[in-house]
Amino acid sequence: MSDFFSNTWSYYIATVSLVGVAWCVWLLFSQRRWLKQRPEQVQDTGHVWDGDLTELNNPVPRWWTVMYLGLCVIALGIMVLYPALGSYPGLLEFTSAKQVVAEREQQTAEMKPLFDQFASIPVEDLARNQEAHAIGKRLFLNNCAQCHGSDAKGSPNFPNLTDSDWLYGGTPEVIIKTITEGRHGVMAPLGAAITPAQANEIAHYVRSLSGLTSDPTLLAAGQAGFKKVCFACHGMDGKGNQALGAPNLTDSVWLGGSSRDTIVNTILHGRQGVMPAQKHFLTDDQIRMLAAYVWGLSNK
Ligand code: HEC
Ligand code: HEC
């Protein structure tokens, strides 16, 4: 795959590289006087310092010229073997992406014996195993803490993983699936179908579901609006739907926030949470270890 959007750049870089080497060789060739003979008389440049220090104009030493020619040969060799000439891939077809894959395979092979000893232990028991817990915690701090927090308690829009409230489900199998494949929770913006005034009514109703303060005069209209639109994903009772990742709206756990403004904003503009798939970065063994760690956080 080439990173160039036009072949011109590829030719340009190849030309600059080759002309650079050719120019070096030509320069050495033009200074080849020493090949024939040592100059009988060394010229001086006419510069004199401190009365008797003169600057001579000797040709470059032979070893230096030979070394430089050697460097040109090495440069040409690298250009043939490695991708140094624009989009030409080089005889070795080396890419840093392939190198990363190879290094990761090697690391995985080195870690295999460590993970093998845990392979037959069910995730629930793994969660109580001290050594597995330590490994899971390190993996979590390196790969998950930047979004879920080092204590896994999350922050607005990044779910808390230590409680028993789950968007997608909290069994080991579901957690493994979430980590492996990632999740994309989509609540489409409803601003085209719902006016801000209606959204306000529905927001008051939603707040009432979890016992938060709400304006009683708006609840009937809010409930009617909810039953017309929101039930499809959040359920008639507002308890959510784990197959869709639609949160339970009747509990005290909030992904985005419980204020009226936040809820109105969610209704009008929608909401999208993305949990990136980890299968590209982590092995199945590592994901299983992480699932045990995460499961253990809410199943003491
Ligand atoms: C780039 C940020 C990001 C990273 C990194 C990340 N997550 Fe997530 N994770 C999210 C978001 C956002 C969600 C909620 C998705 C949604 O709203 O549908 C989520 C959801 C989850 C869930 C589902 C929670 C539930 O209630 O069902 C689990 C489990 C989870 N993450 C575990 C992990 C683990 C383990 C890691 C480390 C391998 C990790 N996450 C790394 C952002 C992240
Ligand atoms: C198409 C399915 C769907 C419909 C219809 C839908 N929602 Fe959602 N809703 C979701 C999903 C999925 C999420 C989680 C988004 C995420 O993961 O970021 C969500 C999130 C929310 C949240 C944030 C919850 C929190 O814990 O912060 C609120 C509030 C909410 N919806 C209210 C409503 C209301 C009110 C309606 C009706 C006007 C509605 N939703 C209609 C799917 C839906």
Side-chain angles (χ1 to χ4, degrees):
M1 189 182 68
S2 169
D3 292 330
F4 299 111
F5 51 82
S6 143
N7 269 341
T8 314
W9 287 111
S10 177
Y11 289 125
Y12 173 75
I13 287 174
T15 308
V16 169
S17 311
L18 289 173
V19 168
V21 174
W23 181 78
C24 282
V25 174
W26 172 80
L27 188 68
L28 295 167
F29 183 72
S30 73
Q31 303 295 310
R32 71 194 179 286
R33 204 153 32 123
W34 53 271
L35 281 176
K36 296 204 185 96
Q37 78 230 21
R38 284 196 75 80
E40 307 90 49
Q41 211 203 331
V42 176
Q43 300 163 348
D44 72 53
T45 59
H47 298 155
V48 180
W49 285 276
D50 284 350
D52 55 355
L53 268 178
T54 52
E55 187 185 18
L56 301 182
N57 189 13
N58 272 314
V60 287
R62 187 174 301 203
W63 66 264
W64 192 91
T65 310
V66 171
M67 183 190 76
Y68 228 86
L69 276 172
L71 290 178
C72 290
V73 171
I74 291 175
L76 287 173
I78 289 177
M79 287 180 197
V80 172
L81 293 174
Y82 289 93
L85 296 173
S87 50
Y88 165 68
L91 288 181
L92 296 181
E93 307 220 322
F94 169 90
T95 70
S96 45
K98 280 191 203 160
Q99 189 183 18
V100 169
V101 170
E103 282 174 8
R104 216 164 46 195
E105 274 167 8
Q106 190 198 342
Q107 271 176 8
T108 307
E110 278 170 17
M111 285 187 307
K112 190 140 180 30
L114 174 68
F115 284 109
D116 276 351
Q117 65 192 87
F118 299 111
S120 57
I121 308 179
V123 170
E124 288 88 342
D125 297 338
L126 216 47
R128 284 180 214 102
N129 179 309
Q130 295 262 319
E131 202 187 337
H133 181 84
I135 296 173
K137 181 168 188 166
R138 273 197 298 275
L139 284 169
F140 190 88
L141 290 177
N142 281 334
N143 298 286
C144 324
Q146 67 270 42
C147 291
H148 292 284
S150 51
D151 58 0
K153 293 216 165 93
S155 54
N157 301 325
F158 299 98
N160 182 344
L161 303 177
T162 67
D163 58 15
S164 52
D165 183 69
W166 296 94
L167 290 166
Y168 298 95
T171 61
E173 298 73 40
V174 176
I175 297 178
I176 287 178
K177 182 160 194 284
T178 297
I179 303 174
T180 310
E181 306 289 338
R183 298 284 186 182
H184 187 176
V186 182
M187 164 150 167
L190 297 168
I194 295 176
T195 66
Q198 287 168 324
N200 181 43
E201 291 161 3
I202 299 176
H204 275 274
Y205 173 71
V206 167
R207 277 175 60 87
S208 78
L209 290 176
S210 50
L212 296 170
T213 52
S214 49
D215 182 342
T217 61
L218 300 176
L219 291 187
Q223 181 176 29
F226 190 91
K227 302 235 146 123
K228 217 158 63 196
V229 186
C230 321
F231 80 96
C233 299
H234 293 282
M236 268 306 186
D237 52 5
K239 290 222 161 75
N241 181 344
Q242 292 191 337
L244 298 169
N248 182 346
L249 302 176
T250 66
D251 59 14
S252 58
V253 178
W254 295 87
L255 185 61
S258 64
S259 74
R260 190 208 62 100
D261 289 353
T262 309
I263 299 174
V264 168
N265 201 39
T266 297
I267 297 172
L268 296 179
H269 303 293
R271 184 173 272 287
Q272 296 212 23
V274 176
M275 156 79 201
Q278 302 295 311
K279 62 181 169 194
H280 312 295
F281 322 113
L282 300 173
T283 65
D284 289 349
D285 287 330
Q286 289 173 316
I287 289 175
R288 199 162 168 276
M289 210 60 108
L290 272 167
Y293 176 76
V294 169
W295 186 85
L297 294 173
S298 51
N299 293 274
K300 298 268 184 227

